[in-house]
Amino acid sequence: MTAASVPEKPALEGLETKWGGSWEDAGTYRFDRGSATRANIFSIDTPPPTASGSLHIGHVFSYTHTDVIARFQRMRGKSVFYPMGWDDNGLPTERRVQNYYGVRCDPSLPYVDDFTAPFEGGDGKSTKAADQLPISRRNFIELCERLTIEDEKQFEAVWRMLGLSVDWTQTYRTIGNDSLVTSQSAFIGNIERGEAYQAMAPTLWDVTFRTAVAQAELEDKEMPASYHRVSFAQPGGGAIEIETTRPELLPACVALVAHPDDERYKALFGSTVRTPLFDVEVPILAHHLAQKDKGSGIAMICTFGDVTDVIWWRELDLPNRAIMGFDGRIIAEAPEAITSEAGRAAYAQLAGKTVFSAKAAVVDLLRTSGDLIGEPRSIVHPVKFFEKGDKPLEIVSTRQWYIRNGARDEKLRARLITHGSDLQWHPEFMRVRYENWVNGLTGDWLVSRQRFFGVPLPIWYPLDADANPLFDQPIVATREMLPVDPSSDTAPGYEAGQRGQANGFVGEVDVMDTWATSSLTPQLAGGWERDPELFELVYPYSLRPQGQDIIRTWLFSTLLRAELEHGVSPWQHAALSGFIVDPDRKKMSKSKGNVVTPADMLEQHGSDAVRYWAASSRLGTDAAFDPKNPTQIKIGRRLAIKILNASKFILGFDGGAEAPVSEPLDQSMLARLSVVVGQATAAFEDYDHARALELTESFFWTFCDDYLELVKERAYGEAGPGQASAVAALRTALSTLLRLFAPFVPFATEEAWSWSTEDSIHHAAWPVQSELSGGQGGNVALLDLSSRALTGIRRAKTDAKASQKTDVESAVISGTAAEIALLRQAAADLSAVGRISELVFIEGSELAVTDIVLATVPEN
């Protein structure tokens, strides 16, 4: 690279293409493994965005935060390991493939060679699942692979346009071959150490996706419902009344429960009642989670209405009479406990119905039997949903795989809390969100999913003489076999022909929760087991940047896997970005339909302008964005243009930065800039990039609007110590300011830097205060006073209705004795910029420009 000539009219347009290509060709951001040492590494566990659909403005916001940190550390001399991954397995990808191609997966169907999808590019909004073409699992996965690769190309194009200083040779896909091996190997380790296990248990279930859902994937939504007051008959006469929002679960009732201190029910604990309609005897029990002030104070326990039912069922050792099917309908077979003819007849009216229809049927039956007391009472209450689902979750009994997460292991929980305490959080207050999550865990991590596009669980099961699976004798893949897909690969020790046969084997068809792979991003990017030398260099990582909304999922699960696998925290720092909110302060999300896609915005305003907007927000702080009036982006564009124009202006003066800086005003400017360098550096070291930008920008506008104006006449003047001092100070300040701005506006600063320097600014050293020795001894107050005096001169001319170019015969500047003493040192520059023949200083109460006498009388 050679220094370029200064263009006649500098412009931002085209800089992304020009410098993006140049950086790629030169390998500007490539990780230099050969020179890297553990001591000088700065490694980043970059979030892999979900590669389904399109990026949104929130991605630009948070990824810019990471990039400015990476660029700062690189300029500080660190060897920056900055990879990029793509999170391309899981439900979002499957849903997008279904909508895009008009297909759905049916694992029972055979593979079709050269399959052609019904269409491409559909949004699926008007397509019902029943209208989608069923295809084999293998065909479906091939479509997933095809679409995610195309999506990832588009994502990478946006990231490159934004100027992320990622090393694009260090990329991975969460469904790629290396990721499959790493994820399956880690899971095998979990099994070997007793951390992974299989159990038949109540499971949160999404009836739309037909898959289990983990605790971390839940969200509450306020939904309308109704309380139904229902009567349970006591032996020998009398009744107990309960209130429930789930009357359709009456056939699944296994007990009534009240608080142990509730005087109304103390005498009844240990007795029984009979359920209405179904005539099943159930006990009345005590438990501290029962709420005395809710409803009638006594509740029915059903298997399973909500997560509290699960706790009661487990802790009170109750039977399981589950009636909910995987499709969200009441199963055909009544629980064995329903033995009466009337009870079984009532159940037959519910079998096969949806929750909504079953509820209506039960309410009608209760009215007829006289067991419904009064009319249902309308309420609104929180209901559990899968974060990507459209219908309330149900709880069904399924066989699933779990990883221990500290919910039932106090020692493990304590170690996870310790890791959270040792981690440096930015901002610090985010730590409590992690601790609250860990302390509030109620069950181990459910990691199996009933989906198709994901990392297969590396498990098979032997079949007995009747071809029934022996689930308690799983066959675990060996690491030498990885990657494996048990649905098509043969179990070790068997022949392919024994699949599905008596005394043969069957493969596990479930895949891992996407977080079970994403929780291993430090290992995936760092080459764990695949490249031990690289992993030793980068792990533990320096930084985990991410959104605050996935502390409970990604951050926690990664800490958990690191503890189980390595016994250490995977990073030293965690940087949490806030949300992007719309003008009404509502979080932007695809589900709310208020997302802004970044590509057009980058094209319209320029990448530096968008980066400026993002970098102006501190970590953990939400930022409002109005696409109709993007004020901050416009300010950022103005700044980037000013950087180019100021650079061109300064580089137009004859001279260099080597001459002595002898003039007090020049020394004052460099002294003030030295303070800015120290403060901006400290802010960056404290992960407060927004403060570093604010400090730099504030100085820059004073520098351009005032200092440049004050010294330009001298800089343009005849050669001599004063002229050389001005040019040297200007050149030194320009070099410093460009480097201070480089992490934020990389394209404009690289362009301006190239006009005088051959190497990339992004390989230049971060400025240090010792470089500004020309300001040593300078009084920082002089620059401020001179700026105020200049403002006074301008205002006086404006008040006199004169042009700023109007000559002035005389002007008086008043101020305190200390102020006047300092301002006398800048008298020549003030006179030159104000075109003042005679400048008089007098002592007064406050700084002001008075008694200005114009050399020419302004026209009316």
Side-chain angles (χ1 to χ4, degrees):
M1 178 178 176
T2 57
S5 59
V6 181
E8 185 66 29
K9 292 184 178 180
L12 296 177
E13 285 70 27
L15 294 186
E16 291 88 353
T17 301
K18 172 183 178 180
W19 290 112
S22 176
W23 294 333
E24 179 64 22
D25 293 342
T28 303
Y29 306 124
R30 204 150 298 157
F31 173 58
D32 185 0
R33 182 169 173 174
S35 63
T37 65
R38 183 64 204 162
N40 79 338
I41 278 259
F42 189 87
S43 48
I44 304 172
D45 183 15
T46 319
T50 301
S52 58
S54 60
L55 295 168
H56 59 76
I57 192 64
H59 287 108
V60 168
F61 182 69
S62 58
Y63 282 74
T64 298
H65 294 169
T66 305
D67 190 62
V68 297
I69 294 169
R71 289 180 177 278
F72 167 72
Q73 293 291 346
R74 192 179 288 113
M75 294 177 75
R76 291 272 277 177
K78 293 289 187 179
S79 183
V80 175
F81 180 71
Y82 188 10
M84 179 62 71
W86 307 113
D87 191 4
D88 39 19
N89 71 62
L91 289 172
T93 298
E94 291 188 24
R95 174 178 272 185
R96 175 158 161 73
V97 167
Q98 290 170 346
N99 294 339
Y100 192 86
Y101 292 111
V103 298
R104 58 184 172 86
C105 183
D106 183 345
S108 67
L109 296 176
Y111 176 73
V112 176
D113 287 317
D114 300 321
F115 172 74
T116 301
F119 56 82
E120 291 193 19
D123 60 10
K125 292 179 180 177
S126 59
T127 306
K128 296 180 180 179
D131 298 328
Q132 294 171 341
L133 178 68
I135 60 175
S136 72
R137 174 172 175 166
R138 184 175 163 193
N139 286 126
F140 186 78
I141 290 175
E142 286 178 352
L143 291 179
C144 291
E145 291 273 4
R146 182 195 309 174
L147 190 57
T148 54
I149 289 173
E150 291 305 310
D151 284 343
E152 286 157 15
K153 289 178 182 177
Q154 296 179 28
F155 281 28
E156 181 176 334
V158 173
W159 285 152
R160 286 181 180 274
M161 188 175 184
L162 182 63
L164 295 191
S165 58
V166 164
D167 179 356
W168 291 105
T169 67
Q170 303 287 342
T171 60
Y172 63 89
R173 304 174 65 227
T174 58
I175 201 65
N177 197 65
D178 290 340
S179 297
L180 288 170
V181 173
T182 298
S183 301
Q184 291 181 333
S185 178
F187 185 72
I188 290 170
N190 294 139
I191 293 176
E192 291 170 344
R193 295 187 297 268
E195 297 153 359
Y197 65 93
Q198 189 182 195
M200 190 77 176
T203 305
L204 289 159
W205 187 266
D206 187 282
V207 299
T208 303
F209 291 109
R210 302 284 184 92
T211 187
V213 176
Q215 182 182 353
E217 298 171 305
L218 304 182
E219 67 175 35
D220 284 338
K221 294 182 182 179
E222 293 292 324
M223 299 293 292
S226 296
Y227 267 133
H228 305 76
R229 200 169 185 95
V230 179
S231 176
F232 284 66
Q234 294 177 282
I240 299 294
E241 295 178 3
I242 64 100
E243 288 192 355
T244 179
T245 60
R246 302 292 304 267
E248 72 277 10
L249 293 181
L250 270 170
C253 180
V254 292
L256 299 189
V257 63
H259 195 278
D261 297 334
D262 196 326
E263 296 294 339
R264 294 171 294 178
Y265 303 109
K266 270 187 175 182
L268 299 178
F269 295 147
S271 66
T272 63
V273 291
R274 302 195 75 84
T275 61
L277 303 181
F278 305 100
D279 196 32
V280 175
E281 186 176 40
V282 296
I284 300 176
L285 305 172
H287 195 279
H288 66 91
L289 289 181
Q291 301 176 50
K292 291 189 283 186
D293 59 350
K294 185 176 182 180
S296 61
I298 189 166
M300 70 171 182
I301 304 174
C302 299
T303 52
F304 297 91
D306 57 25
V307 291
T308 308
D309 276 343
V310 176
I311 296 171
W312 282 331
W313 168 80
R314 183 179 292 120
E315 295 186 2
L316 296 174
D317 195 23
L318 297 169
N320 189 339
R321 295 174 188 151
I323 63 168
M324 192 62 62
F326 295 157
D327 58 357
R329 295 176 180 269
I330 307 300
I331 62 176
E333 188 175 346
E336 293 181 1
I338 302 176
T339 57
S340 70
E341 184 176 340
R344 299 189 77 80
Y347 186 87
Q349 296 186 52
L350 309 181
K353 283 184 165 58
T354 64
V355 169
F356 179 83
S357 298
K359 181 177 295 183
V362 168
V363 171
D364 285 344
L365 289 170
L366 288 170
R367 281 198 181 98
T368 302
S369 69
D371 294 312
L372 181 67
I373 311 302
E375 285 302 306
R377 176 168 54 90
S378 296
I379 62 166
V380 174
H381 68 158
V383 176
K384 299 292 183 189
F385 278 73
F386 174 39
E387 60 187 359
K388 296 179 176 66
D390 303 318
K391 294 182 179 179
L393 292 172
E394 296 296 343
I395 299 178
V396 300
S397 293
T398 62
R399 184 177 297 278
Q400 303 285 349
W401 281 93
Y402 298 83
I403 290 178
R404 303 186 193 281
N405 64 0
R408 300 185 180 90
D409 184 337
E410 287 299 325
K411 290 183 178 179
L412 176 55
R413 188 196 299 262
R415 291 199 298 275
L416 293 171
I417 291 292
T418 298
H419 288 320
S421 298
D422 293 341
L423 186 61
Q424 298 297 306
W425 295 78
H426 308 282
E428 170 63 27
F429 68 79
M430 290 291 180
R431 182 196 310 275
V432 71
R433 302 190 185 188
Y434 169 80
E435 292 174 347
N436 288 344
W437 175 253
V438 177
N439 288 322
L441 289 168
T442 59
D444 286 331
W445 179 13
L446 189 155
V447 295
S448 50
R449 290 292 181 273
Q450 292 66 54
R451 301 306 302 166
F452 313 114
F453 189 52
V455 177
L457 289 160
I459 303 293
W460 298 262
Y461 305 99
L463 301 177
D464 64 15
D466 297 319
N468 296 312
L470 301 175
F471 290 112
D472 59 347
Q473 300 176 33
I475 303 166
V476 182
T478 63
R479 286 182 171 83
E480 292 71 28
M481 300 174 65
L482 304 182
V484 296
D485 183 355
S487 67
S488 56
D489 294 330
T490 302
Y494 291 85
E495 299 293 332
Q498 293 179 274
R499 181 183 294 274
Q501 303 299 311
N503 297 314
F505 72 94
V506 64
E508 174 65 78
V509 295
D510 287 356
V511 299
M512 293 185 196
D513 168 20
T514 185
W515 292 114
T517 302
S518 297
S519 61
L520 296 169
T521 53
Q523 291 83 357
L524 295 176
W528 174 63
E529 293 190 334
R530 184 180 74 253
D531 190 342
E533 181 183 336
L534 175 63
F535 192 66
E536 189 71 22
L537 270 177
V538 302
Y539 191 93
Y541 284 63
S542 308
L543 175 65
R544 155 60 71 85
Q546 64 166 70
Q548 59 181 313
D549 54 329
I550 50 175
I551 290 174
R552 64 194 175 112
T553 48
W554 192 36
L555 189 145
F556 167 72
S557 62
T558 310
L559 266 175
L560 171 66
R561 301 302 288 281
E563 163 59 29
L564 297 178
E565 198 65 52
H566 311 291
V568 298
S569 175
W571 337 276
Q572 298 166 324
H573 297 266
L576 290 304
S577 294
F579 295 132
I580 296 299
V581 295
D582 64 17
D584 296 326
R585 304 302 296 182
K586 294 178 181 177
K587 178 189 173 186
M588 286 190 171
S589 67
K590 291 180 181 178
S591 63
K592 290 184 172 66
N594 59 355
V595 165
V596 177
T597 54
D600 291 343
M601 192 171 63
L602 292 168
E603 287 280 0
Q604 180 181 355
H605 301 286
S607 298
D608 280 344
V610 175
R611 288 174 63 98
Y612 169 87
W613 159 76
S616 296
S617 290
R618 286 176 169 81
L619 291 171
T621 302
D622 295 346
F625 179 72
D626 183 356
K628 296 180 180 178
N629 186 25
T631 304
Q632 281 292 100
I633 291 178
K634 292 177 181 178
I635 293 172
R637 181 173 177 83
R638 176 171 169 252
L639 171 66
I641 292 172
K642 190 67 174 180
I643 288 172
L644 294 178
N645 290 334
S647 299
K648 171 182 168 63
F649 184 65
I650 292 169
L651 293 174
F653 294 120
D654 293 332
E658 301 79 17
V661 177
S662 56
E663 294 297 311
L665 183 58
D666 304 335
Q667 293 172 346
S668 175
M669 182 274 293
L670 292 181
R672 182 70 188 89
L673 181 54
S674 177
V675 173
V676 171
V677 167
Q679 292 175 333
T681 303
F684 253 125
E685 289 174 339
D686 198 34
Y687 286 79
D688 192 352
H689 59 261
R691 177 61 176 159
L693 175 57
E694 178 186 359
L695 289 162
T696 304
E697 184 186 10
S698 176
F699 176 86
F700 176 73
W701 287 115
T702 298
F703 174 81
C704 292
D705 293 345
D706 298 335
Y707 177 75
L708 266 177
E709 290 298 312
L710 285 163
V711 303
K712 69 179 182 181
E713 295 297 330
R714 177 155 48 94
Y716 274 131
E718 294 183 4
Q723 189 271 346
S725 174
V727 173
L730 286 168
R731 291 291 184 98
T732 300
L734 177 62
S735 171
T736 302
L737 285 165
L738 288 177
R739 285 177 287 155
L740 286 173
F741 276 127
F744 306 104
V745 284
F747 296 103
T749 51
E750 184 75 293
E751 173 71 5
W753 186 263
S754 73
W755 299 337
S756 61
T757 310
E758 293 187 356
D759 293 331
S760 170
I761 191 172
H762 304 298
H763 279 180
W766 181 257
V768 293
Q769 291 177 293
S770 59
E771 295 177 36
L772 301 166
S773 58
Q776 195 168 16
N779 191 319
V780 294
L782 176 57
L783 177 62
D784 176 62
L785 288 172
S786 299
S787 298
R788 290 164 59 193
L790 176 58
T791 300
I793 293 170
R794 289 166 172 166
R795 184 181 299 116
K797 286 188 174 183
T798 300
D799 291 344
K801 299 181 180 179
S803 164
Q804 295 301 319
K805 294 181 179 180
T806 301
D807 291 334
V808 176
E809 287 187 4
S810 64
V812 174
I813 298 181
S814 63
T816 66
E819 289 173 339
I820 295 302
L822 276 176
L823 282 173
R824 288 185 185 279
Q825 300 178 47
D829 290 325
L830 286 167
S831 296
V833 72
R835 305 172 75 92
I836 302 169
S837 298
E838 182 182 8
L839 185 59
V840 180
F841 293 98
I842 63 172
E843 292 187 16
S845 58
E846 61 181 23
L847 186 65
V849 177
T850 61
D851 301 324
I852 187 168
V853 178
L854 302 178
T856 57
V857 179
E859 297 180 3
N860 292 330

